[in-house]
């Protein structure tokens, strides 16, 4: 039987501090571009029970899994959500970031500079796409309503928008980033940022996994811009995660639950998958089909009830991903893993190398 963690609730008395996740990261260790081919990136395998580590390449992932294990992947597709617009009344340049769809015409957005955008203003996205600002949001954003009703407006976004890159990359988006930000599982448009753990898979690796009897199951969670934003409170239990939309189908749940009943391992590909699975479970063991929103923030002493292991990138200091990883190991052990990654010259960030906690 695989090792599984018993689930515990998040307890406010557990004082997990932001500085528990600090370490020195040289800028040269941040990957500006993904590995080519994708599955040639490095992989550190960490055995949770023993703490033993192994260094290999992502292409070797099947060697660390067993027939009947389930890889749960995120099939969200990143859409170009960043736009340079013009304020019709003054000609001012306004940066607009699409956050989420509210109805056929209305979208929640973030604008910069916000002081120049008020209710009643008109923003021009292009010669054929304009909108009115119709409301403010509690998060200092705006609600806009496009002048045309278009069920395929995402197709227009793909034509004129840019993908949002993490600020720490320090470079402007390039046309090739539209595909660099997509995993081989990407199907359903809706994410602003990418589920980076899925970027390491190639079609040939997926075929190899399936040929060895490893099951691959899709779920959906649309990632918003909050993944790029730092935590500004020292006591992380006081941090509020941004709510994100997710969906787990009945078919996916059946595969996951049957595997757990048979003693197989459920491996989440990324933090987003882990959050979705842990938001859908019943009594800590059974995955439920569900469509909704989650603001679940996973950090110690939380212990996942569905997920037996996770694949995730080496992320930046004080990142939410690093905190989620320490739901499998202690914060002290996670820091040691990261120091090992630095000594071994692993690459960090959205296009960086990967770790398998199992």
């Amino acid at each position: 039987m695989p090792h599984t963690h018993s689930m515990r609730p998040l307890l406010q008395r557990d004082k997990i501090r932001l500085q528990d996740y600090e370490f020195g990261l040289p800028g040269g260790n941040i990957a500006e571009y993904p590995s080519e081919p994708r599955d040639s990136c490095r992989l550190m395998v960490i055995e949770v029970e023993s703490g033993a580590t192994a260094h290999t390449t992502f292409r070797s992932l099947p060697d660390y899994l067993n027939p009947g294990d389930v890889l749960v992947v995120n099939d969200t597709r990143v859409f170009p959500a960043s736009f340079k617009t013009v304020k019709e009344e003054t000609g001012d340049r306004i940066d607009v970031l699409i956050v989420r769809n509210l109805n056929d015409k209305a979208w929640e957005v973030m604008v910069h500079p916000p002081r120049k955008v008020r209710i009643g203003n008109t923003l021009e996205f292009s010669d054929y796409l304009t909108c009115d600002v119709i409301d403010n949001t509690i998060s200092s954003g705006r609600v806009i309503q496009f002048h045309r009703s278009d069920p395929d407006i995402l197709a227009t976004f793909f034509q004129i928008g840019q993908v949002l890159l993490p600020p720490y990359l320090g470079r402007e988006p390039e046309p090739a980033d539209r595909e660099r930000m997509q995993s081989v599982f990407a199907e359903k448009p809706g994410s602003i940022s990418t589920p980076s753990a899925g970027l390491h898979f190639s079609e040939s690796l997926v075929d190899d996994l399936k040929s060895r009897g490893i099951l691959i199951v899709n779920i959906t969670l649309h990632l918003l811009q909050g993944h790029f934003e730092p935590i500004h409170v020292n006591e992380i239990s006081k941090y509020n995660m941004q709510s994100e939309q997710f969906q787990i189908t009945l078919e996916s749940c059946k595969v996951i639950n049957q595997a757990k009943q048979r003693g197989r391992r459920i491996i989440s590909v990324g933090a987003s998958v882990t959050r979705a699975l842990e938001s859908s479970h019943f009594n800590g063991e059974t995955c439920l089909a569900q469509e909704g929103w989650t603001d679940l923030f996973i950090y110690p002493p939380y212990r996942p009830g569905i997920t037996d292991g996770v694949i995730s990138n080496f992320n930046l200091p004080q990142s939410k991903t690093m905190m989620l990883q320490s739901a499998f190991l202690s914060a002290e052990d996670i820091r040691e893993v990261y120091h090992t990654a630095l000594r071994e010259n692993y690459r960090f960030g959205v296009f960086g190398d990967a770790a398998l906690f199992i």
Side-chain angles (χ1 to χ4, degrees):
M1 292 286 288
H3 171 72
T4 57
H5 297 285
S6 59
M7 182 182 161
R8 283 178 55 193
L10 294 172
L11 303 177
Q12 296 299 316
R13 68 174 181 269
D14 291 86
K15 304 297 185 182
I16 309 298
R17 305 280 183 183
L18 197 58
Q19 62 260 32
D20 294 336
Y21 298 93
E22 182 56 65
F23 64 94
L25 178 62
N29 284 81
I30 297 176
E32 288 188 40
Y33 298 94
S35 300
E36 292 292 345
R38 292 188 175 207
D39 57 14
S40 67
C41 78
R42 301 181 69 190
L43 175 68
M44 186 188 301
V45 181
I46 301 99
E47 295 182 6
V48 173
E49 281 288 323
S50 66
T53 61
H55 303 283
T56 183
T57 64
F58 202 83
R59 190 67 184 81
S60 301
L61 175 65
D63 296 338
Y64 295 90
L65 302 177
N66 302 320
D69 286 347
V70 179
L71 283 175
V72 187
V73 302
N74 191 349
D75 63 7
T76 187
R77 183 170 181 81
V78 178
F79 73 94
S82 180
F83 300 86
K84 304 289 185 182
T85 73
V86 176
K87 183 178 172 182
E88 186 178 81
E89 293 82 359
T90 62
D92 290 332
R93 301 285 180 175
I94 306 295
D95 293 332
V96 174
L97 178 67
I98 302 287
V99 175
R100 67 182 105 213
N101 180 233
L102 301 176
N103 57 47
D104 286 346
K105 291 185 178 181
W107 295 73
E108 180 183 343
V109 302
M110 302 299 294
V111 295
H112 183 80
R115 68 181 185 280
K116 292 188 176 182
V117 182
R118 298 183 179 182
I119 295 174
N121 289 158
T122 297
L123 302 178
E124 298 176 355
F125 281 66
S126 70
D127 292 340
Y128 52 89
L129 186 64
T130 58
C131 72
D132 293 326
V133 180
I134 62 172
D135 204 353
N136 299 318
T137 71
I138 58 175
S139 57
S140 301
R142 303 290 185 269
V143 177
I144 61 172
Q145 181 170 291
F146 288 103
H147 291 165
R148 76 179 205 229
S149 178
D150 185 352
D152 295 321
I153 200 166
L154 276 174
T156 303
F157 292 166
F158 273 95
Q159 292 173 359
I160 65 176
Q162 289 185 320
V163 292
L164 182 68
L165 295 181
Y168 59 75
L169 290 185
R171 64 175 178 86
E172 291 297 315
E174 302 169 1
D177 287 321
R178 292 192 179 202
E179 288 307 313
R180 289 174 182 146
M181 297 285 278
Q182 310 296 353
S183 77
V184 296
F185 311 109
E187 294 179 0
K188 301 174 182 176
S191 277
I192 294 174
S193 58
T194 185
S196 56
L199 297 182
H200 308 300
F201 289 82
S202 63
E203 295 287 359
S204 61
L205 176 56
V206 170
D207 290 342
D208 188 12
L209 288 161
K210 291 179 178 178
S211 72
R212 300 198 196 190
I214 296 156
L215 306 178
I216 298 179
V217 170
N218 290 16
I219 62 97
T220 307
L221 185 141
H222 295 313
L223 290 83
L224 300 182
Q225 82 284 1
H227 290 270
F228 299 152
E229 297 172 354
I231 294 177
H232 293 295
V233 293
N234 186 43
E235 188 177 324
I236 65 174
S237 63
K238 297 180 179 179
Y239 177 75
N240 295 317
M241 284 284 282
Q242 187 177 26
S243 284
E244 294 170 318
Q245 189 175 16
F246 76 99
Q247 180 183 31
I248 303 177
T249 66
L250 180 60
E251 181 182 359
S252 293
C253 280
K254 285 182 178 178
V255 175
I256 292 168
N257 292 334
Q258 287 175 0
K260 288 195 75 68
Q261 291 168 5
R262 295 167 181 166
R264 305 304 185 186
R265 296 176 298 186
I266 309 301
I267 311 298
S268 296
V269 179
S272 62
V273 170
T274 308
R275 293 179 59 234
L277 289 178
E278 293 303 308
S279 297
S280 73
H281 65 67
F282 175 70
N283 74 16
E285 298 176 357
T286 305
C287 178
L288 296 179
Q290 189 173 352
E291 183 173 0
W293 296 81
T294 180
D295 61 358
L296 178 62
F297 181 24
I298 295 178
Y299 62 91
Y302 188 94
R303 293 295 181 262
I306 299 293
T307 305
D308 300 303
V310 65
I311 299 170
S312 55
N313 281 25
F314 286 101
N315 220 305
L316 272 60
Q318 301 182 350
S319 66
K320 304 173 190 74
T321 297
M322 193 178 179
M323 296 168 190
L324 180 141
Q325 290 167 339
S326 65
F328 295 86
L329 293 176
S330 69
E332 181 180 0
D333 289 338
I334 287 295
R335 283 199 306 273
E336 180 54 37
V337 166
Y338 272 65
H339 288 146
T340 299
L342 285 170
R343 289 193 301 269
E344 297 292 332
N345 204 30
Y346 277 70
R347 305 194 315 157
F348 287 66
V350 66
F351 293 137
D353 295 319
L356 167 64
F357 296 86
I358 199 167

